[in-house]
């Protein structure tokens, strides 16, 4: 999960990587049983924050984790949400922005729920954008590919491939004219793997499509379909 915290640092008390957070807590001694008032006082005064975080973990991590796991999250997601919630909560208290309208447990749970909801929304948007991109990519690539495999077009089209640049020209010639696979093309060009070639081919087809779309004379001479 994308997080604003590559590490967690509470001044003068705690510094640890996110991956080491859980192990750090497990090896700490049990914390005292703090009241909300005592907990807030310690945080504001930067006192015993190790024990404060341990106490928060013991009291509230299970319910936060259960919420995340129940709502499409993984154990790693649950740990990330809990850690971000703790850090945010401590910052809120230290800046004297905690109003005390609810208990600490209720407040933490509300923060965690909002954080996880926002993360789910972000993932949904990212997934939707990827699906839309892939759909658009497939349609465009299929259209131009069908056009290029036409034998009559092949004979005429070599003349304008040079406008796309040398690498694009080589990729399209190797793929459509010599019928080489992506794996075979890798051995002919300075690209790392098949996926790189596949992505480059798509970009070349985009350039070719734009060239045809923006050049009526060329488009009409090849009877390329247009909107």
């Amino acid at each position: 999960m994308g997080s604003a915290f590559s590490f967690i640092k509470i001044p003068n008390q705690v510094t640890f990587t996110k991956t080491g957070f859980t192990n750090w807590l497990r090896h700490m001694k049990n914390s005292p049983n703090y009241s909300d008032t005592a907990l807030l006082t310690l945080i504001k005064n930067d006192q015993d924050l190790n024990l404060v975080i341990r106490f928060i973990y013991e009291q509230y991590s299970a319910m936060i984790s259960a919420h995340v796991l129940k709502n499409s999250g993984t154990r790693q997601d649950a740990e990330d949400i809990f850690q971000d919630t703790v850090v945010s909560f401590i910052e809120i208290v230290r800046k004297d922005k905690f109003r005390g309208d609810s208990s600490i447990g209720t407040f933490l749970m509300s923060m965690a729920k909002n954080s996880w909801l926002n993360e789910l929304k972000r993932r949904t948007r990212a997934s939707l954008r990827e699906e839309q991109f892939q759909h658009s990519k497939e349609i465009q690539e299929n259209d131009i590919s069908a056009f290029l495999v036409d034998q009559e077009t092949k004979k005429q089209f070599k003349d304008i491939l040079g406008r796309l640049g040398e690498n694009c020209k080589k990729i399209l010639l190797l793929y459509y004219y010599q019928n080489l696979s992506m794996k075979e093309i890798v051995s002919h060009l300075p690209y790392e793997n098949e996926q790189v070639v596949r992505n480059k081919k798509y970009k070349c087809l985009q350039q070719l499509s734009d060239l045809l779309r923006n050049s009526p004379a060329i488009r009409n001479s090849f009877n390329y379909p247009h909107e």
Side-chain angles (χ1 to χ4, degrees), residues 131-142 195 198-199 202 206:
E131 288 178 6
Q132 291 173 336
F133 169 74
Q134 290 297 333
H135 180 64
S136 175
K137 175 180 175 181
E138 289 174 5
I139 291 176
Q140 183 179 40
E141 187 165 346
N142 288 339
Q195 187 58 49
R198 190 173 288 105
N199 291 338
Y202 170 66
Q206 278 188 311

Side-chain angles (χ1 to χ4, degrees), residues 34-79:
Y34 298 114
S35 66
D36 280 9
T37 301
L39 206 61
L40 294 172
T41 300
L42 290 171
I43 293 173
K44 288 178 181 179
N45 294 328
D46 278 342
Q47 294 179 341
D48 296 331
L49 289 186
N50 289 21
L51 294 177
V52 166
I53 294 174
R54 175 70 187 188
F55 176 78
I56 293 174
Y57 175 79
E58 291 172 348
Q59 296 296 314
Y60 308 117
S61 65
M63 66 178 186
I64 289 174
S65 295
H67 174 77
V68 174
L69 293 172
K70 184 179 178 181
N71 291 276
S72 306
T74 64
R75 292 194 179 280
Q76 185 60 56
D77 291 330
E79 287 188 11

Side-chain angles (χ1 to χ4, degrees), residues 5 7 22 28 34 36 40 46 68 70 78-79 85 95 139 159 167 183 189 192 204 219:
F5 303 96
F7 63 90
T22 303
M28 281 190 64
Y34 298 114
D36 280 9
L40 294 172
D46 278 342
V68 174
K70 184 179 178 181
E79 287 188 11
T85 298
K95 292 177 180 177
I139 291 176
D159 296 335
N167 284 339
K183 185 176 182 179
L189 296 172
E192 295 180 4
C204 293
R219 184 183 65 223

Side-chain angles (χ1 to χ4, degrees), residues 165-209:
E166 192 61 27
N167 284 339
C168 279
K169 178 180 179 181
K170 287 180 179 178
I171 288 176
L172 296 182
L173 286 176
L174 290 171
Y175 187 79
Y176 290 105
Y177 289 74
Q178 296 186 34
N179 298 316
L180 297 186
S181 66
M182 292 296 171
K183 185 176 182 179
E184 292 170 325
I185 292 176
V186 172
S187 64
H188 288 75
L189 296 172
Y191 295 114
E192 295 180 4
N193 52 54
E194 295 174 50
Q195 187 58 49
V196 174
V197 174
R198 190 173 288 105
N199 291 338
K200 180 64 176 176
K201 170 176 163 283
Y202 170 66
K203 292 179 180 179
C204 293
L205 291 176
Q206 278 188 311
Q207 292 180 41
L208 180 56
S209 180

Side-chain angles (χ1 to χ4, degrees), residues 1 3-10 14-26 53 56-57 60-62 64-65 68 74-91 108 111-112 115-116:
M1 186 186 75
S3 171
F5 303 96
S6 58
F7 63 90
I8 297 176
K9 184 176 183 181
I10 308 300
V14 183
T15 302
F16 48 85
T17 63
K18 296 194 77 175
T19 55
F21 179 76
T22 303
N23 288 333
W24 172 79
L25 286 170
R26 288 170 181 163
I53 294 174
I56 293 174
Y57 175 79
Y60 308 117
S61 65
I64 289 174
S65 295
V68 174
T74 64
R75 292 194 179 280
Q76 185 60 56
D77 291 330
E79 287 188 11
D80 290 346
I81 290 295
F82 176 75
Q83 292 167 39
D84 290 349
T85 298
V86 171
V87 172
S88 297
F89 172 69
I90 289 175
E91 287 302 304
L108 287 170
M111 289 179 65
S115 180
W116 181 236

